[in-house]
């Protein structure tokens, strides 16, 4: 346990609390069970201090022990739950976007549905691939975007049909689906396969693939996507190289959202 002189001298510094936290941090994936001596060594505290901290944590239900070793209990998750539950959706999503963007080396985004539009809530750009600059708060019509179709697919047929009916179905490119019947079929297909691929419907040469994000009760509350240029990536490459990491990222975000 490393404590600076100014910290130790401060009347606001509770050394026993710091030592208790260092004991918790002594456990990790490689060291799920530790002896008293192990804890003292890894936490850089005396055996006597380690023993007092472990017995206190055990009495509070954060540590369990047998005749030889100590281990953390699931109750320690409570310590992180308060933090996770206080985070907003963009704060939860952003770190995952950064990891995904590094993995695929493309721009990635997250959006929610607002009326008939998607609204960007988080984004990591790598290069400019659209004629307009996308920032937090940028809106696009849901019917012509991969994230929009994923969000619509998370609704009941009746609700999605109502959103499509309320949308201004204009051909943004020569590829844009504007027939309500065809859009409904595409939304149903997206719901069945669990992701959406849109090729040049929002802007010529723009390809994107999206996956849904789910709340604790399983509702689709947001969408995650990877966008790229048609001149750089084929549809086959999107499916082979980008879809698996996209789905992994969405699953990782869902795990955090279930704790939120």
């Amino acid at each position: 346990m490393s404590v600076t002189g100014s910290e130790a001298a401060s009347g606001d510094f509770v050394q026993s609390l710091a030592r208790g936290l260092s004991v918790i941090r002594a456990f990790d994936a490689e060291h799920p069970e530790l002896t008293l001596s192990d804890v003292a060594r890894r936490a850089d505290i005396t055996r006597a201090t380690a023993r007092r901290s472990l017995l206190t944590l055990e009495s509070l239900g954060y540590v369990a022990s047998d005749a030889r070793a100590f281990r953390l209990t699931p109750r320690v998750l409570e310590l992180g739950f308060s933090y996770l539950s206080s985070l907003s959706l963009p704060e939860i999503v952003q770190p995952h976007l950064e990891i995904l963007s590094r993995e695929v080396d493309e721009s990635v985004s997250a959006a929610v549905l607002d009326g008939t539009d998607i609204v960007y809530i988080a984004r990591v750009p790598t290069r400019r691939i659209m004629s307009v600059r996308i920032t937090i708060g940028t809106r696009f019509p849901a019917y012509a975007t991969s994230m929009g179709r994923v969000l619509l697919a998370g609704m009941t047929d009746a609700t999605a049909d109502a959103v499509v009916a309320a949308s201004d179905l204009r051909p943004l490119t020569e590829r844009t689906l504007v027939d309500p019947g065809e859009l409904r079929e595409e939304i149903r297909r997206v719901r069945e396969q669990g992701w959406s691929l849109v090729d040049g419907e929002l802007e010529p040469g723009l390809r994107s693939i999206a996956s849904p994000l789910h709340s604790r009760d399983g509702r689709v509350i947001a969408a995650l996507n990877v966008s790229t240029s048609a001149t750089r990536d084929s549809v086959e490459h999107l499916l082979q190289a980008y879809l698996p990491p996209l789905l992994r990222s969405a699953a990782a975000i869902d795990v955090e959202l279930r704790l939120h």
Side-chain angles (χ1 to χ4, degrees):
M1 180 182 64
S2 176
V3 179
T4 66
S6 60
E7 287 173 334
S10 170
D12 294 327
F13 187 82
V14 182
Q15 196 169 52
S16 59
L17 175 58
R19 287 168 174 165
L21 292 174
S22 72
V23 166
I24 292 175
R25 289 196 299 268
F27 297 87
D28 57 25
E30 286 74 38
H31 305 87
E33 291 192 355
L34 295 171
T35 65
L36 176 58
S37 296
D38 292 334
V39 171
R41 185 182 68 257
R42 288 177 57 79
D44 193 22
I45 56 180
T46 66
R47 279 175 54 90
T49 299
R51 181 177 180 276
R52 287 196 300 271
S53 295
L54 285 166
L55 292 178
T56 300
L57 289 168
E58 186 174 20
S59 69
L60 294 172
Y62 294 111
V63 167
S65 67
D66 52 29
R68 190 190 66 85
F70 296 86
R71 63 185 180 279
L72 297 180
T73 71
R75 191 168 190 177
V76 297
L77 295 175
E78 294 177 354
L79 301 176
F81 181 78
S82 296
Y83 168 71
L84 288 173
S85 64
S86 70
L87 293 177
S88 68
L89 181 58
E91 288 172 325
I92 293 172
V93 168
Q94 188 66 33
H96 294 276
L97 293 190
E98 292 168 2
I99 294 170
L100 177 60
S101 181
R102 287 196 297 270
E103 183 174 358
V104 300
D105 192 29
E106 293 292 349
S107 298
V108 299
S109 308
V112 296
L113 191 69
D114 181 28
T116 60
D117 293 338
I118 62 166
V119 181
Y120 281 72
I121 61 169
R123 178 167 169 78
V124 177
T126 58
R127 53 184 68 86
R128 186 162 177 171
I129 56 177
M130 290 194 68
S131 59
V132 297
R133 182 168 175 263
I134 301 175
T135 60
I136 306 305
T138 294
R139 307 173 74 97
F140 289 123
Y143 72 90
T145 65
S146 61
M147 289 193 288
R149 290 178 185 173
V150 158
L151 291 163
L152 291 171
M155 302 174 169
T156 63
D157 281 336
T159 305
D161 288 350
V163 174
V164 170
S167 300
D168 180 15
L169 301 180
R170 291 179 292 111
L172 305 176
T173 75
E174 61 181 14
R175 290 173 171 263
T176 310
L177 275 182
V178 293
D179 179 83
E182 291 180 1
L183 273 172
R184 292 188 188 100
E185 284 301 313
E186 177 63 16
I187 290 167
R188 292 190 189 99
R189 189 167 72 88
V190 169
R191 185 182 298 133
E192 291 174 1
Q193 68 187 15
W195 50 270
S196 173
L197 171 66
V198 169
D199 184 8
E201 295 189 48
L202 180 64
E203 184 169 296
L206 177 69
R207 286 177 174 150
S208 68
I209 193 164
S211 175
L213 300 177
H214 302 86
S215 66
R216 193 176 188 180
D217 60 7
R219 292 179 299 109
V220 174
I221 58 171
L224 180 70
N225 90 334
V226 177
S227 299
T228 187
S229 167
T231 59
R232 189 168 59 254
D233 288 304
S234 65
V235 170
E236 292 74 19
H237 187 255
L238 252 72
L239 295 175
Q240 293 173 5
Y242 300 161
L243 181 58
L246 173 71
L247 295 177
R248 287 195 299 269
S249 293
I253 294 170
D254 281 355
V255 168
E256 286 200 40
L257 290 175
R258 282 196 291 272
L259 298 173
H260 188 62

